[in-house]
Amino acid sequence: RSMLPFRVGAAVLGVLVVVHASGVFGASSYAATIAVAAAFGVVGLVKNRPGTRWPWMLFLTTAGVWAVSNTLADGNAGFRNLTTSRPLLPDLVSLPGYALFGAGMYGLLRARRAPTSGRDASILLDGVVLAIGSSLVVQHTLVGPTLELDDTWIVARLVVSAYPTAAIFLVGLAAQLAFSRGPRRPALLFVLAGTAALVVGDVIWAFSEIGRIDAADGLLEIPYMLVPLTFALAMLHPSVAALDQAESPTIERPRSRYVAVTTALIAPASLVIFPGTITPLVVVLSVSLCVASAARVVTAMRSEDRLRARLLHRATHDDLTELPTRSLLVDEIERRLHGKEADGRESVALLF
């Protein structure tokens, strides 16, 4: 397939991101970028024809929801406004978009799963561990301090806290998608990069809302601008047609998976370094992380036991007839000749 639409889309969307960061056209350029990215996404879906389209349609719907929310925001009138005068309508429109986004991620994850393999418990638990570990850090450093702010409207504090909380949910889904054993095609990498940009954008924006970060709005919105760009490029790239290819039977895991899960496991210890109060919710999350880690260890041990039993069976039985091989017969004879039965009696073998 031709790469020309992909290159054109990358150039146009890249220019729009730079223009928005410069602040020349104001807040209206954000909605315009989403509209252009959605148009390129539709072109990519029509041209590349992925086997599973409904997750991509959910992503396009999410883009529309967030474009409407940005329009209702009326030039960020609610930004850094934690008083009762904060307009809640943009937030009420924007937050359901995270559910649509998550449903799209789950659709891609389900499409990449082999029909006969079912759900891989190890991938699921690794995603849960990563999500809980990330949630611990965000809860301790961002959500907790936000909810404890004085002289602010509690509803505004809850709304600000909802964005990074919803983003952490997406971390768990993105981790499972990244850990899946299917081919790592460019379209998948664009999806993961867009999800990472959304999570980073939500965390930075929330810190700015409570006054922990002071930067221009154009700079704060750059991660959000990268979300429609990366997803549009994912739809435009020819590899999107094979993104739902079933996972391969290989058991090899990428090194990044080990690094990500290990980092999440040390999250409780890292809370000593970060400022903040140890709240009951942090304790609950820490216990949940321990439980998920224990379940992951048990799953790994059971998987190893099953693999050992399968390898032993294949080494001692014929693949076609499932009958014992000569090696198993010899081992059994040697065991009987040099050992004893369970009740202590010796065995005697007579061969003709």
Side-chain angles (χ1 to χ4, degrees), residues 16-351:
L16 288 176
V17 171
V18 174
V19 170
H20 179 78
S22 66
V24 175
F25 294 98
S28 60
S29 60
Y30 179 72
T33 302
I34 293 180
V36 174
F40 275 116
V42 171
V43 171
L45 293 181
V46 172
K47 177 179 178 295
N48 296 317
R49 298 182 180 182
T52 305
R53 295 192 182 186
W54 67 267
W56 302 105
M57 300 306 297
L58 287 177
F59 292 138
L60 292 174
T61 304
T62 303
V65 169
W66 286 342
V68 171
S69 174
N70 180 77
T71 303
L72 294 174
D74 190 23
N76 293 331
F79 183 49
R80 297 192 181 100
N81 181 5
L82 300 181
T83 66
T84 55
S85 62
R86 179 189 179 100
L88 295 179
L89 183 58
D91 298 308
L92 295 177
V93 174
S94 177
L95 287 173
Y98 287 83
L100 295 174
F101 193 100
M105 295 288 289
Y106 175 76
L108 291 181
L109 179 62
R110 184 175 180 180
R112 285 173 61 83
R113 189 181 302 153
T116 58
S117 65
R119 177 176 295 179
D120 189 332
S122 64
I123 293 178
L124 174 62
L125 288 173
D126 283 350
V128 171
V129 167
L130 193 58
I132 296 177
S134 303
S135 181
L136 264 173
V137 177
V138 172
Q139 167 66 29
H140 184 69
T141 61
L142 176 57
V143 176
T146 301
L147 295 177
E148 294 174 356
L149 289 176
D150 297 327
D151 300 326
T152 55
W153 189 26
I154 180 60
V155 176
R157 283 180 276 162
L158 289 173
V159 168
V160 172
S161 303
Y163 286 97
T165 302
I168 294 303
F169 169 73
L170 300 179
V171 169
L173 291 173
Q176 295 181 60
L177 192 59
F179 298 157
S180 60
R181 298 193 179 104
R184 290 179 171 274
R185 303 187 183 278
L188 174 62
L189 299 180
F190 280 122
V191 169
L192 297 177
T195 306
L198 177 61
V199 174
V200 171
D202 281 336
V203 172
I204 293 177
W205 191 268
F207 272 122
S208 184
E209 284 262 35
I210 63 176
R212 297 289 182 88
I213 295 178
D214 186 15
D217 293 353
L219 294 178
L220 294 174
E221 291 176 349
I222 288 180
Y224 290 130
M225 297 291 291
L226 295 178
V227 178
L229 184 148
T230 51
F231 274 83
L233 294 182
M235 299 180 209
L236 285 170
H237 199 277
S239 64
V240 72
L243 189 59
D244 55 356
Q245 180 177 337
E247 58 187 10
S248 59
T250 178
I251 61 174
E252 182 180 359
R253 297 181 176 90
R255 184 175 301 177
S256 58
R257 179 174 177 179
Y258 294 105
V259 174
V261 174
T262 303
T263 303
L265 290 176
I266 63 176
S270 66
L271 299 184
V272 179
I273 303 175
F274 296 112
T277 305
I278 303 298
T279 62
L281 181 56
V282 170
V283 175
V284 170
L285 289 173
S286 299
V287 174
S288 300
L289 182 60
C290 293
V291 172
S293 303
R296 180 65 179 91
V297 172
V298 171
T299 301
M301 294 173 64
R302 293 180 61 184
S303 177
E304 182 181 1
D305 290 341
R306 287 193 297 266
L307 180 59
R308 287 176 178 271
R310 186 162 57 248
L311 291 176
L312 179 61
H313 181 81
R314 293 189 62 180
T316 57
H317 290 74
D318 183 74
D319 291 336
L320 181 61
T321 64
E322 290 293 327
L323 294 175
T325 60
R326 181 176 178 273
S327 60
L328 180 60
L329 176 61
V330 172
D331 290 342
E332 182 65 16
I333 292 174
E334 290 182 352
R335 187 183 70 82
R336 295 297 182 95
L337 290 176
H338 300 288
K340 294 183 178 181
E341 297 291 347
D343 57 4
R345 295 180 300 173
E346 296 184 351
S347 301
V348 177
L350 179 61
L351 298 179

